[in-house]
Amino acid sequence: MSNKRKIYILLTRFYGNSSIAFGILTNSYYNHASIGLDEDLNTFYSFVKKGFLVEKITRYIRPDREPYPCMLYEMEVSQKTYDEIKETIQGFVSKKHLYRYAKIGVVLGLFRIPIIQKHRYFCSHFVAEVLGSTNTVSLTKSSALYYPRDLIKLPNKKMIFQGNLQSFLDKFVLQPSSM
């Protein structure tokens, strides 16, 4: 039995006004990043305008909308690292009411000024922070300076899907949410 586990980084391009602005400001085609564990390819963790979010990918599929483009990366980690990542994420989940979106962090990052505010993150900052704090990867700069485009450059990952969220659901046989 292998002691290796998998984690996932999902990059998505949403079409809301703030998502488009974020993508333009950060020069990122994909304007959202989230991290998932190998237990469920429908559940990812990230930050949005409302704060920390446990995302269900099936929630974003609607027949009245064009499917959002996305890219999924897989990283193989040791069981120990996986457990550390899971524990870190569970810490966010259990205290999600404390966390807020780091609007100022997004803007200052454009000027290469990393600002670390207690309980404040933006999506790719959060993903980089989780990966860096668990030594999954060695970050080359402050986690507060990572945008979705920077996550594409991380080492030791493999792209396992590129397309849109509808084809993602089809490939991984996820059932659309009734929400």
Side-chain angles (χ1 to χ4, degrees):
M1 181 170 146
S2 172
N3 67 346
K4 295 290 184 180
R5 297 293 298 265
K6 293 178 181 170
I7 61 165
Y8 300 92
I9 298 170
L10 179 65
L11 302 179
T12 313
R13 180 176 176 82
F14 290 118
Y15 300 125
N17 290 337
S18 59
S19 295
I20 291 170
F22 179 87
I24 290 169
L25 288 172
T26 63
N27 193 30
S28 296
Y29 175 77
Y30 295 101
N31 51 30
H32 183 66
S34 50
I35 187 168
L37 303 170
D38 70 359
E39 297 162 347
D40 177 7
L41 278 176
N42 187 33
T43 305
F44 287 81
Y45 306 90
S46 191
F47 273 78
V48 294
K49 285 188 304 187
K50 295 178 183 178
F52 180 75
L53 180 66
V54 178
E55 298 178 318
K56 295 293 186 182
I57 299 307
T58 51
R59 179 177 168 261
Y60 297 118
I61 303 300
R62 291 192 180 157
D64 61 329
R65 276 195 201 151
E66 182 180 336
Y68 299 114
C70 66
M71 186 181 304
L72 182 68
Y73 289 99
E74 174 184 271
M75 297 179 88
E76 195 170 74
V77 297
S78 69
Q79 182 66 51
K80 179 180 183 275
T81 299
Y82 180 87
D83 291 342
E84 289 173 7
I85 292 169
K86 187 173 183 175
E87 183 178 327
T88 299
I89 291 172
Q90 286 308 312
F92 279 87
V93 170
S94 67
K95 296 177 184 173
K96 73 185 254 177
H97 64 282
L98 296 176
Y99 293 99
R100 301 287 177 260
Y101 188 76
K103 295 175 196 167
I104 293 172
V106 171
V107 175
L108 289 177
L110 297 172
F111 300 101
R112 299 187 196 287
I113 301 170
I115 182 166
I116 305 296
Q117 299 170 285
K118 187 174 184 175
H119 303 302
R120 292 188 181 266
Y121 295 86
F122 54 91
C123 62
S124 47
H125 170 199
F126 166 72
V127 172
E129 179 68 21
V130 170
L131 296 174
S133 70
T134 58
N135 294 313
T136 304
V137 296
S138 294
L139 300 180
T140 58
K141 55 188 171 183
S142 168
S143 61
L145 296 177
Y146 275 79
Y147 294 119
R149 70 169 187 256
D150 300 310
L151 298 174
I152 293 171
K153 300 171 191 169
L154 291 175
N156 305 321
K157 64 180 179 359
K158 178 172 87 173
M159 183 177 49
I160 61 169
F161 180 80
Q162 184 173 17
N164 64 53
L165 288 178
Q166 180 61 59
S167 53
F168 176 90
L169 295 183
D170 295 342
K171 176 175 175 126
F172 296 104
V173 194
L174 302 175
Q175 298 302 313
S177 175
S178 59
M179 295 172 58

